[in-house]
């Protein structure tokens, strides 16, 4: 998506009658899984990050990044550290018995994308694109799918973005390479 790999970390129907979906996707510089009590060091853009998994329960986790603790995060949530680095939880595994696994999969340098469509049976947009905590103006989501209230199958995801300005894209070039885009 947008030229980067993402993992669907949360897929939920937005109401009980089906035919609607909210997807939370996450990507980032580092993706790893740690066991509770472990500490590992990762390098992102030339900077080292020491990450420790401090706490895991059935639905949340707390980590420490370079001595700074995160808030208690649920699956699909992100937390921004004081240096601007974003850490996101992509999966929590908590086996509640002696010797059970307590682990968390996470993204360091995370980017979270939220896509929502309230009617998967039409080809009209019913939701904006949300990147991290920002709703992207003039970017609309259409998710084509089928749902029998038991199995949900995504056929296609469209994201229609309209630029506020005119941009020149040379032959063989990419719009994403334009330095004026943020």
């Amino acid at each position: 998506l947008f030229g980067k790999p993402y993992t669907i970390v949360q897929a939920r129907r937005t109401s009980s009658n089906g035919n609607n979906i909210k997807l939370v996707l996450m990507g980032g510089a580092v993706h790893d899984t740690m066991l509770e009590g472990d500490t590992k060091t990762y390098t992102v853009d030339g900077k080292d990050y020491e990450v420790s998994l401090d706490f895991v329960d059935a639905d949340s986790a707390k980590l420490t990044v370079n001595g700074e603790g995160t808030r208690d995060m649920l699956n699909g949530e992100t937390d921004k550290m004081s240096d601007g680095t974003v850490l996101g939880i992509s999966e929590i595994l908590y086996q509640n018995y002696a010797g059970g696994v307590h682990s968390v999969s996470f993204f360091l340098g995370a980017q979270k994308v939220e896509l929502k469509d309230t009617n998967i049976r039409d080809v009209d947009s019913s939701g904006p694109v949300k990147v991290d905590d920002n709703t992207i103006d003039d970017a609309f989501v259409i998710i084509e799918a089928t749902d029998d209230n038991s199995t949900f199958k995504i056929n296609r995801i469209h994201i229609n973005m309209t630029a506020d300005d005119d941009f020149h894209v040379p032959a063989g070039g990419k719009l994403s390479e334009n330095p004026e885009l943020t």
Side-chain angles (χ1 to χ4, degrees):
L1 191 63
F2 309 121
K4 297 179 184 176
Y6 286 89
T7 300
I8 297 173
V9 298
Q10 192 177 87
R12 303 277 192 264
R13 290 178 177 91
T14 58
S15 67
S16 60
N17 68 349
N19 300 318
N20 52 69
I21 190 167
K22 174 183 163 187
L23 298 173
V24 176
L25 296 86
M26 207 172 286
V30 172
H31 182 241
D32 200 7
T33 300
M34 293 178 67
L35 294 171
E36 187 173 35
D38 282 356
T39 298
K40 294 182 184 177
T41 301
Y42 306 92
T43 303
V44 177
D45 295 330
K47 182 176 178 181
D48 287 342
Y49 293 89
E50 184 181 85
V51 179
S52 301
L53 178 54
D54 303 324
F55 168 79
V56 180
D57 69 11
D59 63 357
S60 66
K62 287 185 181 185
L63 294 95
T64 299
V65 179
N66 289 347
E68 181 180 351
T70 66
R71 62 184 174 75
D72 196 18
M73 293 187 292
L74 303 173
N75 186 42
E77 290 188 333
T78 59
D79 197 8
K80 187 180 278 190
M81 310 314 293
S82 61
D83 70 352
T85 303
V86 177
L87 186 127
I89 303 294
S90 61
E91 184 177 12
I92 296 170
L93 176 59
Y94 183 79
Q95 296 174 329
N96 192 18
Y97 53 83
V101 175
H102 300 180
S103 71
V104 169
S105 295
F106 64 94
F107 286 92
L108 183 63
Q111 184 172 49
K112 180 171 131 179
V113 176
E114 185 178 303
L115 308 174
K116 189 176 185 181
D117 193 337
T118 59
N119 188 353
I120 61 164
R121 292 182 182 216
D122 66 17
V123 290
D124 295 326
S125 174
S126 55
V129 175
K130 200 171 169 186
V131 177
D132 295 326
D133 294 325
N134 303 313
T135 299
I136 307 301
D137 294 331
D138 300 320
F140 304 98
V141 177
I142 301 168
I143 299 175
E144 295 178 33
T146 57
D147 184 9
D148 64 7
N149 284 326
S150 173
T151 302
F152 197 103
K153 180 183 175 197
I154 297 173
N155 299 318
R156 184 175 300 166
I157 298 173
H158 303 268
I159 299 178
N160 184 358
M161 299 178 78
T162 305
D164 292 333
D165 300 312
D166 292 330
F167 295 105
H168 173 72
V169 180
K174 295 180 181 178
L175 180 61
S176 61
E177 294 172 347
N178 189 317
E180 296 177 41
L181 294 176
T182 55

